[in-house]
Amino acid sequence: MDEPLFITDLLLAAFATASAAVLGVRAARPAALGWPLRLTVALLAGRLVVAALLWREGWELVGHRLTLGLPVAVLPVAATVLAVARNRPAGTVGQVAAVGVFVSAYLAWVPQDPAAWPVTALVAAALLGVVALLAVGLRRWRAGGSRAARLPWQSALVVLALAASLGGLQQQNAAVAGDVAAAPEDWGGGPRTVAHHGVDVASLTGPEGDTPAARFTLVAAHRTIRLASGRQVDALTFNGTSPGPTLRVRQGELVEVTLVNTDVTEGVTVHWHGVDVPNAEDGVPGLTQDAVPPGGRHVYRFVPDRAGTFWYHTHRDSQRTVARGLFGAFLVDPPAATSAGDESGSGGDRTYDTTLFTHQWLTGDGTVAAFNDADAPTRQAVAAGREVLLRLVNSSEDPQRVQVGGVSFRVRAIDGNPVHEPGPLPGGTELLLAAGGRYDVGLTMPAGTVTVSMPAGEGDGGGVSLALSPSGQDAAQALGEGERFDPAAYGTPDDTAPPLADRSFDLVIDTGFGFADGGLTFANTVDGRMHPAVPTLMVALGDSVRVRIVNRGIFDHPMHLHGHRVRVVQRDGSPVTGSPWWTDTLNVAPGESYEVAFTADNPGIWMDHCHNFTHAAEGMVWHLAYAGVTTARQGTHGKHGSE
Ligand code: C2O
Ligand code: CU
């Protein structure tokens, strides 16, 4: 939990610019330096303390500050202090110090591309050099600390430098507007191999001739729905409900889904979250298909290759349309021969199998938390001794905490990937679900009550809970603080090791000013950039790939790569000790760092984005592309890229 430290640093940097401005004005009269100098020193000392605290958690959180961002301010300010202490004229050095503090604050508020640090350092040094030269020159010209040597020219210079730098960022961003193929490329240190030439995304479809084993139709339409409490939601639904119908299929068998859009003016697609479908079936508007307009339809065909809990949702204007209801469960059962009577709630009765979406509904009362459409406590009868499978899916934009109490339980799968030898967890253990992520919770129904609860959302009085009891009459029990479940140390290792990397990529996430789709925003950056200027990660078919992700910003980011699952190798520098941890949606909290590995085994051009759709719409979107795969569909994805 480093966001308080990150926020403190941003604020100290901002305050320091104010005191440094006064410092600059008075620099020509060292006698008057008193409090502005002391205040600037105090604020910088605060920033150094914050940096030291962060350093204890990892160099990658503060390396950029300690090597450039802070020295650019601390060194000239220290020189000013020395000069004043020795009663020397501090005019020039004081002015350099003032500008240094500005530059330092700029570097804190406008994230830079870490790979471009030599340029950043050079520009910063040049700016301070120009200030020094001008100050010396002006003093010689008008002997003695003249007015001319004071703030106005300095601030003009600073403003000019800032404008030039922002202009550069804007250019960089606008140059690739609306064109995936024009984004800069990052080959991750591997060769620029072209495995197969000129394959268009549109040709990477599911099997075309075969007869599907399962056929569904999803009809998207506006509808007012009523939550359990009676609150009404102006919703977008699939087949009249939200969550939409649960699509239940078998691993290895062809599925065909026809999407029909009745009246959703934004357009609709269906993305099969976590299912590694062929690229053209992935449901990304502007990249793998065009959004289906009202009156239109689109057919998806694919063969799910892994059993587990997945979900589907629209991928057009997701920030609004998923929140309003265009999502549902996609459950893949193991092949018939191997599924040992573990039938669904709809079929056999050995297992009580239920899917709970943790959702945040937009109602007249504000945002309301719910399990599916239940925004009030609910109860269910489950006979003692029966197996229970709770499939928790987070369809909201934020990480959600869910507690399971009254019985010990196991996390059987994460994001549809079975955990190897999951051990029992004490009742009350808290699960943190990444936005878009899933946990399969398994337990044996006791004679008493099992409580599944999610803390109250904003504007929600009662909190949300589901109480399971043999009679179905028991109320949910209050669960005290539970320990947080840690997927990095759960279950046991199996004998697979992640392969060595053919390519590796570094993604530094930060929060600050930048340009997304050509416009200036305060949002989240990836390597100092936002969509569409974030470099495309380039791979070749068959590569093993590593990606390191560091979050230096102030928000949680659920990282979601389409078309692949990734295996977490390290968190905060420590290897995963339990079961192999496979995920498709990895929450990266402020101050956390991860290394993940995956195999490039699904050719195409894939979205890679933050599953907080607001962050994505604000620019946290980039792509993973296979050498030789192209797309003819460009510039059609509208304001928010392929979002
Ligand atoms: Cu669940 Cu690109 O999304
Ligand atoms: Cu995010």
Side-chain angles (χ1 to χ4, degrees), residues 433-511:
L433 281 160
R438 287 90 63 212
Y439 282 135
D440 284 6
V441 168
L443 58 92
T444 305
M445 193 60 201
T449 316
V450 171
T451 301
V452 187
S453 76
M454 179 168 57
E458 221 177 288
D460 183 59
V464 184
S465 61
L466 166 65
L468 305 176
S469 62
S471 68
Q473 299 305 311
D474 296 7
Q477 287 162 344
L479 304 177
E481 284 276 300
E483 212 174 302
R484 170 80 54 86
F485 168 70
D486 181 7
Y490 182 63
T492 62
D494 65 11
D495 51 8
T496 65
L500 292 177
D502 298 315
R503 294 174 201 276
S504 53
F505 301 95
D506 279 294
L507 303 177
V508 175
I509 302 168
D510 210 334
T511 309

Side-chain angles (χ1 to χ4, degrees), residues 98-159:
V99 173
V101 173
F102 270 101
V103 173
S104 173
Y106 176 82
L107 292 177
W109 283 87
V110 182
Q112 305 292 309
D113 181 354
W117 71 265
V119 182
T120 314
L122 213 73
V123 171
L127 186 60
L128 298 199
V130 169
V131 170
L133 285 178
L134 272 175
V136 170
L138 282 169
R139 207 176 47 229
R140 297 228 170 115
W141 179 46
R142 309 187 56 172
S146 77
R147 266 167 189 273
R150 296 186 197 168
L151 186 70
W153 65 266
Q154 246 178 0
S155 30
L157 198 65
V158 167
V159 168

Side-chain angles (χ1 to χ4, degrees), residues 397 509 524 551 555-559 587-588 609-616 618 620:
E397 295 221 310
I509 302 168
N524 300 288
N551 185 354
F555 300 108
D556 284 272
H557 300 295
M559 307 307 283
N587 193 68
V588 183
H609 64 98
C610 177
H611 217 276
N612 179 311
F613 291 124
T614 304
H615 294 179
E618 289 168 348
M620 253 187 125

Side-chain angles (χ1 to χ4, degrees), residues 271-274 282 284 311-315 318 322 435-436 560-562 584-585 607-611 613 642-643:
H271 168 60
W272 313 96
H273 184 119
D282 197 41
V284 177
W311 65 300
Y312 62 86
H313 60 80
T314 183
H315 217 288
S318 328
V322 175
H560 175 48
L561 169 63
H562 286 209
D584 52 56
T585 321
M607 274 197 85
D608 200 349
H609 64 98
C610 177
H611 217 276
F613 291 124
S642 341
E643 187 22 49

